[in-house]
Amino acid sequence: MLSLDFHPAGRHFLQIPGPSPVPDRILRAMSYPTIDHRGPEFGALGRKVLAGIKQIFKTEHPVIIYPASGTGAWEAALSNTMNPGDTVLMYETGHFATLWKTMAESLGLKPEFLGLPGIEGWRRGVQPDMIEARLRKDTGHAIRAVCVVHNETSTGVTSDIAAVRRAIDAAGHPALLMVDTISGLGSADYRHDEWGVDVSVSGSQKGLMLPPGISFNALSPKAIAASKAGGLPRSFWRWEEILESNKNGYWPYTPSTNLLYGLSEALDMIMGEGLDNVFARHQRLAEATRRAVRAWGLEIQCADPAVYSPVLTGVMMPEGVDADAVRKRIYERFDMSLGQALGKMKGRMFRIGHLGDCNDLTLMATLAGCEMGLKMSGVPVRESGVVAAMDYLGSHADTPALKAAA
Ligand code: PLP
């Protein structure tokens, strides 16, 4: 039985792929007193975060901020744009894509689920040619939306969203493109406008380094028009009233004031570092992690190097090893949380999160905990992944920020 009186020395290592560790700067900002959400100071805060978050999505169009987890923003995307009984084309990249499909069913939509068979689909990103082929057959345009996950948090596999857009355009199909970038935004390159996304869905607790509790819908003019023309029965999620209040920096209901203080601070931190530097840092940490996994002699869950995730790495266990037992051992011995395998992969792999407020030394400690835990669990380790990662990080000043510091 876990005693709440016991507090291990040092910081807990929260190396799951979200929620990610919340930096002290953000925690302090969130401790400012809660203010009147209809008063003048709040309007200034609202206007700042509503403008700032657009830069992160790379959009000129409105971004809605909900006091809800990412699941709420999924529901908002579907319920504002789809009509009862509409067909939506969804793509199975992993557990989260599957959950979004289940939600579509429970909202009375008709999802069609494309994907590669077995776990193969969970090891590769979206195959745009499959989407194009399906849309070409839909000559009556019954499919109203294509829904894909940008960074599949359950596997560590990304998808090429620009290629999905090209597939829709090549088929000459008018379906909306909706993208879940809940774990991609703020860690992996994302371009709402340039990639022609109609609704991007995201959350606070991953690349934005905030606690869970707020989530986002970035919109396109076409998505806004669809919501004005129809939608599912909805109230809390309805964009229209929110967009109206947001014009002056307010919400039609009580927003999460303290999380918005945190968001304001997170935006300053991310823009201060520079979005490109943030993306390059994540790529570098991900590459070091993969080198460690290969040195251990273990397999990376993502089977296509073109779509490796910069956010997390899925580590497959050898046949007969229970990944959850390894994770438990690491948690109990080193006070480090790793991501458990979800859905189809249950017990077969664990996930190392290297997103958000993570640097070279955070990652080295994480990999050291993994390596010790693997050995303690009797998993054969070919050579030191820690040394492989150190060699890479120590000899590659390859991000713009590191080059400037060299
Ligand atoms: N989609 C993805 C890709 C996720 O990673 C998550 C959560 O981890 C969700 C959706 C669900 O978001 P939430 O748990 O914030 O409701």
Side-chain angles (χ1 to χ4, degrees):
M1 182 68 184
L2 184 70
S3 160
L4 294 178
D5 295 336
F6 171 68
H7 180 73
R11 284 246 166 145
H12 174 66
F13 268 71
L14 184 63
Q15 299 306 134
I16 58 175
S20 64
V22 181
D24 292 353
R25 252 180 87 170
I26 292 182
L27 287 173
R28 277 196 295 273
M30 286 179 45
S31 72
Y32 298 156
T34 303
I35 52 172
D36 174 7
H37 60 289
R38 307 206 190 279
E41 290 101 342
F42 187 90
L45 171 68
R47 287 190 293 276
K48 179 190 166 182
V49 294
L50 287 164
I53 194 69
K54 287 187 188 185
Q55 293 179 278
I56 308 287
F57 279 99
K58 294 198 176 157
T59 182
E60 299 291 322
H61 304 296
V63 177
I64 304 266
I65 307 177
Y66 289 107
S69 86
T71 304
W74 263 350
E75 181 162 343
L78 295 173
S79 66
N80 275 284
T81 55
M82 297 294 103
N83 294 320
D86 273 353
T87 303
V88 288
L89 188 61
M90 303 182 106
Y91 191 99
E92 182 181 354
T93 40
H95 184 66
F96 289 103
T98 308
L99 289 180
W100 202 10
K101 187 213 59 165
T102 306
M103 170 186 278
E105 279 162 357
S106 62
L107 291 174
L109 300 173
K110 290 197 202 86
E112 259 189 55
F113 215 23
L114 284 182
L116 297 171
I119 67 157
E120 202 46 27
W122 287 44
R123 302 195 67 190
R124 297 171 189 279
V126 172
Q127 307 294 305
D129 52 337
M130 288 172 70
I131 292 187
E132 184 179 332
R134 178 64 193 92
L135 292 179
R136 279 187 190 280
K137 279 196 203 142
D138 181 38
T139 47
H141 297 165
I143 294 170
R144 294 287 318 284
V146 172
C147 301
V148 293
V149 175
H150 172 223
N151 183 75
E152 193 30 274
T153 327
S154 61
T155 60
V157 179
T158 61
S159 283
D160 183 345
I161 303 303
V164 175
R165 174 80 263 169
R166 285 196 296 275
I168 298 171
D169 292 347
H173 201 287
L176 294 173
L177 172 58
M178 304 213 227
V179 179
D180 168 342
T181 184
I182 287 182
S183 60
L185 191 79
S187 296
D189 189 12
Y190 193 78
R191 309 174 193 192
H192 177 86
D193 287 0
E194 189 184 318
W195 293 346
V197 182
D198 291 298
V199 187
S200 295
V201 178
S202 196
S204 54
Q205 73 272 28
K206 316 265 186 184
L208 294 178
M209 307 176 287
L210 296 167
I214 51 177
S215 53
F216 310 91
N217 276 178
L219 313 181
S220 74
K222 190 171 159 186
I224 296 173
S227 87
K228 285 193 176 143
L232 301 174
R234 64 201 186 282
S235 168
F236 180 77
W237 305 119
R238 184 184 288 278
W239 292 337
E240 215 165 336
E241 290 85 347
I242 303 172
L243 288 173
E244 193 50 40
S245 295
N246 278 179
K247 282 183 185 158
N248 299 316
Y250 296 92
W251 270 259
Y253 42 68
T254 315
S256 316
T257 308
N258 292 57
L259 278 164
L260 296 180
Y261 287 143
L263 176 59
S264 165
E265 195 70 17
L267 293 170
D268 289 349
M269 288 175 73
I270 292 172
M271 298 321 282
E273 184 176 349
L275 263 182
D276 289 343
N277 287 325
V278 170
F279 300 149
R281 173 166 56 80
H282 282 82
Q283 291 289 359
R284 167 188 168 77
L285 297 173
E287 175 60 27
T289 306
R290 291 192 295 268
R291 285 180 186 227
V293 177
R294 288 192 202 106
W296 292 329
L298 298 173
E299 212 179 331
I300 295 164
Q301 159 85 11
C302 179
D304 178 358
V307 289
Y308 280 146
S309 170
V311 173
L312 75 142
T313 302
V315 184
M316 312 263 279
M317 288 295 98
E319 212 47 50
V321 174
D322 176 4
D324 287 338
V326 177
R327 272 191 329 107
K328 184 167 180 280
R329 201 164 196 129
I330 291 172
Y331 173 75
E332 286 172 352
R333 178 66 182 80
F334 301 113
D335 194 24
M336 176 162 78
S337 295
L338 296 168
Q340 72 180 118
L342 300 166
K344 280 183 188 172
M345 294 307 297
K346 196 140 190 46
R348 296 169 68 181
M349 50 96 92
F350 62 78
R351 298 170 296 148
I352 304 174
H354 31 75
L355 67 157
D357 192 35
C358 189
N359 65 18
D360 288 12
L361 296 187
T362 321
L363 185 73
M364 286 316 309
T366 301
L367 295 174
C370 291
E371 188 162 317
M372 289 188 282
L374 287 166
K375 286 183 181 166
M376 284 164 52
S377 308
V379 179
V381 166
R382 201 177 54 203
E383 51 188 85
S384 173
V386 169
V387 169
M390 254 188 335
D391 283 349
Y392 173 74
L393 293 175
S395 60
H396 285 74
D398 52 0
T399 68
L402 290 174
K403 276 188 195 141

